[in-house]
């Protein structure tokens, strides 16, 4: 069942790769993002209460959050974002590595008796971004050209 979800995200990516965007002001886009984040938190708490488990898996409100984030990013002046090619490269690396990084972080946190899900999320995010930045840095080195296959 993951391919329909992948098709949805490809559609969102294609939408934002062009000139398409939400027809809202910056404040309107910010409101969309805030409402989507509130909805995501509510959904997470509802699913957790309903099942009795902390579920950090795929949530429906992630899609509106992503749309809000990218709409805000697209509305920034070009000089703020600069060249977006490194952003696309690093997002591919993060997508491919975050699952493995999360498993390692969870294992290390269990060994340290830390059970905070948000801490695991933040640690996974930071480590995945760090891996992406390191790969982008190393790919420019003479003997590391093979790392281009990471993106």
């Amino acid at each position: 069942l993951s391919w329909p979800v992948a098709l949805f995200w490809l559609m969102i990516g294609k939408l934002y790769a062009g000139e398409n965007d939400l027809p809202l002001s910056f404040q309107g886009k910010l409101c969309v993002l805030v409402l989507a984040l509130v909805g995501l938190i509510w959904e997470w708490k509802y699913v957790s209460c309903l099942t009795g488990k902390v579920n950090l898996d795929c949530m429906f409100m992630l899609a509106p959050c992503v749309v809000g984030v990218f709409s805000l990013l697209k509305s920034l002046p070009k000089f703020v974002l600069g060249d977006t090619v490194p952003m696309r490269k690093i997002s591919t690396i993060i997508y491919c590595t975050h699952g493995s990084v999360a498993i390692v972080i969870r294992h290390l946190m269990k060994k340290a008796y830390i059970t905070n899900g948000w801490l695991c999320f933040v640690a996974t995010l930071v480590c995945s971004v760090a891996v992406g930045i390191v790969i982008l840095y190393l790919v420019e080195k003479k003997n590391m050209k093979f790392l281009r296959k990471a993106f």
Side-chain angles (χ1 to χ4, degrees):
L1 286 176
S2 64
W3 68 270
V5 176
L7 287 176
F8 171 78
W9 290 114
L10 286 172
M11 181 191 74
I12 294 292
K14 173 68 175 140
L15 175 76
Y16 282 106
E19 294 301 317
N20 299 325
D21 198 1
L22 291 177
L24 298 171
S25 66
F26 185 82
Q27 289 81 8
K29 293 173 184 178
L30 190 59
C31 285
V32 167
L33 178 59
V34 168
L35 289 173
L37 286 171
V38 168
L40 180 64
I41 292 168
W42 177 84
E43 180 183 15
W44 177 73
K45 287 186 177 284
Y46 179 74
V47 169
S48 296
C49 288
L50 193 64
T51 63
K53 298 178 186 176
V54 175
N55 187 354
L56 299 176
D57 203 5
C58 191
M59 298 287 184
F60 289 110
M61 290 304 293
L62 279 176
C65 288
V66 169
V67 170
V69 167
F70 278 103
S71 290
L72 281 174
L73 287 176
K74 281 193 77 162
S75 66
L76 293 174
K78 293 290 181 199
F79 68 87
V80 172
L81 285 180
D83 186 15
T84 57
V85 172
M87 191 186 310
R88 287 197 308 266
K89 289 178 180 177
I90 201 167
S91 71
T92 302
I93 295 167
I94 291 169
Y95 177 76
C96 294
T97 60
H98 81 277
S100 301
V101 170
I103 290 170
V104 171
I105 297 287
R106 262 193 223 127
H107 177 72
L108 293 173
M109 288 178 71
K110 280 183 184 176
K111 288 230 180 244
Y113 301 105
I114 301 171
T115 58
N116 188 327
W118 283 102
L119 182 61
C120 182
F121 168 77
V122 170
T124 301
L125 176 67
V126 169
C127 290
S128 297
V129 170
V131 166
I133 290 170
V134 167
I135 289 175
L136 285 182
Y137 172 76
L138 289 176
V139 80
E140 300 300 324
K141 301 297 178 194
K142 185 177 180 182
N143 296 329
M144 298 291 192
K145 299 292 184 193
F146 67 93
L147 289 174
R148 288 182 192 258
K149 296 179 192 244
F151 51 85

